[in-house]
Amino acid sequence: MNIPAERLDQIANRFAEIEARLASGTLEGEEFVQASRDYAELEPVAKLAGEVRAMRAEREELGAMLSDPEMKALAEEDLARIREELPQKERALAVAMLPRDSADARPAMLEIRAGTGGDEAALFAGDLYRMYEKFAAEQGWRVEPVSMNAAEVGGFKEIVANVTGQGVFAKMKFESGVHRVQRVPVTESGGRIHTSAATVAVLPAPEEVDVAIDDGDLKIDIYRASGAGGQHVNTTDSAVRLTHIPTGLVVIQQDERSQHKNRAKAMQVLRTRLYDLKRAEAQGAEAEARKAMVGSGDRSERIRTYNFPQGRVTDHRIGLTLHKLPEILEGTGLSELVDALIAEDEAKRLAALSA
């Protein structure tokens, strides 16, 4: 990657400026918070830029030494190392300089819904939730269920959970889409392989300032909860249904005994879905940029197949098949898929910039 020396200077100067502002002791409140964010974002880029600059300077010095008979052999050896390592370092810097999704550092809301396949789809939705739960634990993240609709046979018809931690959305965003499973259901006496599906949606968690919800745009219904959950759930009018009139979005929350807690959770889900709509509209205006992404981002897109008889998982967007199905469902093997998707996305965006 041919990154101009002027660009390296700009990065170094910008980083030095932020360092000086933080060290001055004059920043307070939001100014200090923003400067700290800018520092954290730019620090790895500045570090790579410094390494590229140093390696280029070393290359020039070694080139000059080739004319010295006594130093030529040593210089050639070091030059071979630089020529091998410098392109890798320049590519790493180019990747670090790519425009980032402003939501990458945010927590996320994970929604999993059983699709085609009846009871087997609900069981598979449960498998996916446990996979993400274990993957999150491995990353040091926290998973907190917001609402769930459990199926009688096990698993979930639907489950919504908050995933909090560092860089959750950046790693989880490519999980959105239709996940398909091929296996023999426990209820199948003939040994036939069935195909079922579940839909996964990963939405970046908004901050309150991102989405303003006018009380006049809401229709709020309070009613008695129904379904599983114990007798106490059904004895009071605690269930909440929010309808956002301008968009038609409906959120139902009835997991808590308290009407106030259900309303708070419903508002959180509604705010997240409205923020997702807002992002989709903005990205729709950048259709060309979205073509460079891995997959379409459409949650109706079939993205992955989990084949139990063959013990394999195939991600259809990048054509990657791993014969590690047990490890992936245990969460420990999911990183390999996630990292491959991120790397492919970076490669496509780099190619788009170079074109």
Side-chain angles (χ1 to χ4, degrees):
M1 306 298 296
N2 187 22
I3 302 170
E6 295 80 3
R7 185 72 181 108
L8 299 182
D9 292 340
Q10 288 172 359
I11 293 169
N13 292 338
R14 174 62 179 150
F15 187 63
E17 177 189 326
I18 295 170
E19 271 192 315
R21 290 185 69 209
L22 284 170
S24 69
T26 60
L27 299 181
E28 294 182 356
E30 186 56 37
E31 276 192 324
F32 178 80
V33 171
Q34 187 58 53
S36 298
R37 284 178 185 161
D38 292 342
Y39 181 91
E41 287 179 10
L42 194 56
E43 184 182 27
V45 181
K47 182 171 183 271
L48 283 167
E51 291 170 357
V52 167
R53 189 206 297 263
M55 291 176 79
R56 287 180 178 179
E58 186 179 1
R59 182 182 60 185
E60 294 300 314
E61 292 173 6
L62 291 169
M65 291 167 60
L66 293 176
S67 58
D68 185 339
E70 293 183 1
M71 302 297 294
K72 183 177 180 182
L74 183 61
E76 285 178 340
E77 183 180 333
D78 285 344
L79 263 177
R81 172 183 57 81
I82 292 287
R83 285 171 182 152
E84 181 182 350
E85 294 178 359
L86 182 56
Q88 299 172 8
K89 193 69 71 175
E90 288 177 329
R91 189 187 186 283
L93 175 58
V95 168
M97 289 167 59
L98 283 171
R100 296 294 172 188
D101 186 332
S102 60
D104 273 356
R106 297 193 179 197
M109 182 168 285
L110 172 67
E111 302 183 356
I112 304 174
R113 294 179 178 84
T116 55
D119 290 344
E120 177 62 16
L123 290 169
F124 180 50
D127 292 340
L128 290 176
Y129 178 71
R130 284 184 288 276
M131 176 182 76
Y132 291 127
E133 203 172 30
K134 291 173 181 177
F135 175 68
E138 191 178 69
Q139 303 298 313
W141 302 337
R142 181 183 175 190
V143 179
E144 182 182 6
V146 175
S147 67
M148 65 180 72
N149 183 359
E152 291 182 7
V153 296
F156 303 102
K157 295 178 182 177
E158 176 183 290
I159 182 163
V160 179
N162 285 326
V163 186
T164 55
Q166 182 64 37
V168 172
F169 186 67
K171 283 201 169 186
M172 289 284 290
K173 61 184 174 184
F174 296 122
E175 294 302 300
S176 290
V178 177
H179 295 239
R180 187 177 68 165
V181 63
Q182 295 171 326
R183 64 184 174 189
V184 179
V186 292
T187 55
E188 172 57 54
S189 57
R192 291 176 300 172
I193 296 172
H194 287 227
T195 298
S196 306
T199 300
V200 174
V202 180
L203 314 179
E207 297 175 0
E208 288 216 21
V209 294
D210 294 322
V211 180
I213 302 177
D214 193 321
D215 289 342
D217 290 338
L218 289 178
K219 181 175 181 288
I220 305 172
D221 297 307
I222 309 298
Y223 59 97
R224 190 153 297 183
S226 60
Q231 291 183 349
H232 66 268
V233 174
N234 302 300
T235 56
T236 58
D237 291 337
S238 59
V240 174
R241 178 171 55 239
L242 297 182
T243 303
H244 187 249
I245 298 168
T247 61
L249 284 174
V250 177
V251 177
I252 296 172
Q253 181 66 40
Q254 61 177 22
D255 288 9
E256 300 287 347
R257 302 186 192 191
S258 161
Q259 178 191 129
H260 298 292
K261 287 183 179 178
N262 280 329
R263 177 168 175 168
K265 284 189 172 184
M267 283 294 291
Q268 181 189 23
V269 173
L270 178 61
R271 184 173 282 109
T272 301
R273 291 180 184 170
L274 286 172
Y275 180 56
D276 187 53
L277 278 179
K278 182 179 176 182
R279 280 170 50 82
E281 288 172 3
Q283 289 169 340
E286 302 166 358
E288 289 303 312
R290 285 185 63 75
K291 286 179 183 177
M293 291 174 58
V294 171
S296 66
D298 184 350
R299 288 190 284 277
S300 65
E301 178 190 14
R302 188 192 70 178
I303 63 166
R304 195 175 294 156
T305 296
Y306 304 72
N307 186 295
F308 275 67
Q310 297 176 18
R312 65 171 172 84
V313 177
T314 298
D315 195 288
H316 305 290
R317 295 163 294 181
I318 56 176
L320 176 63
T321 294
L322 298 176
H323 292 272
K324 298 179 178 180
L325 187 144
E327 295 91 336
I328 289 169
L329 287 178
E330 282 298 311
T332 54
L334 187 57
S335 285
E336 189 170 350
L337 273 173
V338 169
D339 292 345
L341 286 161
I342 292 172
E344 181 71 11
D345 180 64
E346 290 172 345
K348 286 191 173 186
R349 290 195 292 141
L350 275 178
L353 284 176
S354 303

